[in-house]
Amino acid sequence: MSTPRTVATPRIVATVVAADLLRRLVAVHGAVMMHQSGGCCDGSAPMCYPAGEFIVGDRDVLVGLLDLRLAVGQSPADLPAGPDAVPVWISGPQFDLWKHTQLVIDAVPGRGSGFSLETPEGVRFLSRGRAFDDHELADLAIDEPVTGEQWEAGRRPAVPAQPQIVAEAAEACPVPPRSQVVSRREG
């Protein structure tokens, strides 16, 4: 058996709240997938669908496979499969704009989109982002992202060597305290 390809930096991480919500949705609906919306009627929210219900285009890009087997701080040894794997897709043109950004999938109180599975749960998925540094970008360049066409042909992404589940969004994309933001605006 061959050793799976690895890449140090995952393009996608999720908060424990989002991962727990995904686990609940999988328990009800079976395997799920996500697509990062481009900002039309649903804003820029990541949308969650039953696996196979959203048609992935040939030029859509797989941001990553969220691994529902993992707890906070754990790194995967291999790629998840079946309902433990939540593929997260984005359109090719939108990926070109976001390729320098790690997506952080979070869940927050509020009403989800009418099309996304979390709508009746009283919470909604939210994308947060963090710009990759030069070292991370060099690491990611080793393993080009998988397109919808390549996925259909059997290509899979590298296994991320860093944890994919974080306790809080601020661990993955630090946000300055509100007082610092206000001070900068006043200054």
Side-chain angles (χ1 to χ4, degrees), residues 26-118:
V26 165
V28 172
H29 302 281
V32 300
M33 55 89 64
M34 298 185 87
H35 196 278
Q36 175 60 47
S37 175
C40 180
C41 54
D42 296 312
S44 59
M47 307 292 289
C48 184
Y49 304 100
E53 192 167 296
F54 181 91
I55 304 300
V56 174
D58 286 349
R59 288 180 261 172
D60 283 355
V61 174
L62 181 70
V63 183
L65 290 173
L66 286 175
D67 190 339
L68 298 183
R69 301 173 298 179
L70 303 176
V72 172
Q74 291 181 323
S75 297
D78 55 11
L79 290 176
D84 290 327
V86 179
V88 180
W89 295 91
I90 192 169
S91 74
Q94 190 174 359
F95 178 79
D96 286 341
L97 297 171
W98 288 36
K99 64 185 170 190
H100 66 282
T101 306
Q102 183 178 57
L103 284 180
V104 181
I105 304 294
D106 198 1
V108 296
R111 185 173 181 272
S113 161
F115 301 117
S116 196
L117 290 176
E118 81 280 5

